[in-house]
Amino acid sequence: MEASCQKDIPYFRTTQLLQVEKGQYVEIRFRIYKSSFVPGAPCADEEYLEIRDGFNQSANLLGVFCGRSTPYFTLRSSGHNMWLRFSPQHRYWFERDSSFEGKARNKTVPTSLKEVAKTQFVLLNHSSSLWCPAEGGPAPRIVWRGNGAVVQNSTSVRLRINVIEQERNKKYSCEVDDHGQLKRISISLDVER
C-alpha cells in the first residue's frame, strides 16, 4: 500500500530540512527562478541550490542547481530526510506551487543514467568533480569506479578527484543497480592544464 502526503515548501533563505515518516522517502519537484542575472556561464556568480540526501550538509550530494531559470526537476532521497541549502547570495525562490511528497518505499521509480555526460572536463593537478546525476526513487546507490576498482559507493552524484600527470588516462565509470539490472556509464576525461 502506498502512503503519500504532499506539502508546500515554505519560503526560506538559507537552509531547509524536509522530513517524512520513517519508511518513506522525500520527493521534491521544483523550478528555479533568479531575480537578478549576471551574464556568463551558469553558476558563474556562485549562486546555487544544493540538495543533499540526509539531514545536514554532511549528507551525500543529490544535486547542485543554478542558472537564470531552470526546467522542472524531480529529486528523491534514499531515506526520510532531504536537506536544501541556498548559496549565501541567494536570489532564487521556489515557484508558489512547488511541493514535496513523501511516498512509501515500496513505490519505486526506475533508475536512469540518461543525464550523465560521457566526457567530463577536469583540471590537471587541481581538485575537480565528476558528475553522475542518477535518477530513481528512492535515490539509487552510485558505485564510482576508477580503472575498474571501486572508489566510492554512496548516493552522492559527485566524485571529487585530483588528476595528476600519471593518471591522465585513468578510466572512470558510474554504475547503479536498477532492480537487478546493472546500468553503467563510462566517463572519458578531458584533462585541461
Side-chain angles (χ1 to χ4, degrees):
M1 178 174 167
E2 180 184 343
S4 70
C5 63
Q6 187 167 322
K7 298 179 182 177
D8 289 333
I9 300 170
Y11 175 82
F12 64 98
R13 288 191 172 275
T14 55
T15 65
Q16 178 76 28
L17 176 63
L18 306 178
Q19 293 182 304
V20 294
E21 293 180 22
K22 287 188 178 184
Q24 297 181 335
Y25 62 89
V26 178
E27 179 177 278
I28 182 174
R29 184 170 188 259
F30 64 95
R31 184 173 182 175
I32 296 175
Y33 287 100
K34 188 172 178 186
S35 61
S36 68
F37 178 63
V38 176
C43 297
D45 54 5
E46 299 184 16
E47 294 181 358
Y48 57 87
L49 170 64
E50 173 184 334
I51 301 179
R52 294 190 173 263
D53 185 23
F55 61 90
N56 64 22
Q57 70 271 14
S58 298
N60 291 327
L61 184 67
L62 290 176
V64 175
F65 303 90
C66 58
R68 184 173 185 194
S69 64
T70 66
Y72 277 104
F73 290 100
T74 300
L75 285 182
R76 297 165 187 94
S77 64
S78 64
H80 68 280
N81 296 302
M82 182 182 280
W83 189 79
L84 301 96
R85 179 175 75 94
F86 283 115
S87 65
Q89 291 78 34
H90 152 252
R91 288 189 183 93
Y92 296 116
W93 63 88
F94 286 105
E95 275 192 319
R96 291 196 182 278
D97 64 348
S98 295
S99 61
F100 75 95
E101 185 176 331
K103 295 183 179 179
R105 283 184 181 261
N106 62 358
K107 172 72 172 161
T108 59
V109 176
T111 304
S112 170
L113 294 175
K114 68 181 178 184
E115 299 297 323
V116 179
K118 293 182 180 179
T119 300
Q120 298 189 25
F121 296 89
V122 296
L123 295 173
L124 187 63
N125 298 318
H126 287 83
S127 180
S128 298
S129 295
L130 298 181
W131 295 91
C132 184
E135 298 174 354
R141 292 199 67 78
I142 300 169
V143 177
W144 286 94
R145 295 184 183 271
N147 286 343
V150 174
V151 293
Q152 183 173 296
N153 183 354
S154 69
T155 55
S156 185
V157 298
R158 176 176 62 186
L159 174 66
R160 304 282 289 197
I161 62 173
N162 188 3
V163 177
I164 58 175
E165 188 65 44
Q166 298 87 333
E167 296 179 330
R168 287 179 60 105
N169 298 321
K170 191 171 184 177
K171 305 292 183 199
Y172 286 91
S173 67
C174 66
E175 62 189 38
V176 294
D177 181 348
D178 186 18
H179 307 96
Q181 179 184 3
L182 183 66
K183 295 182 177 179
R184 176 183 298 142
I185 297 287
S186 295
I187 298 171
S188 299
L189 301 184
D190 189 338
V191 182
E192 298 180 357
R193 292 188 182 274

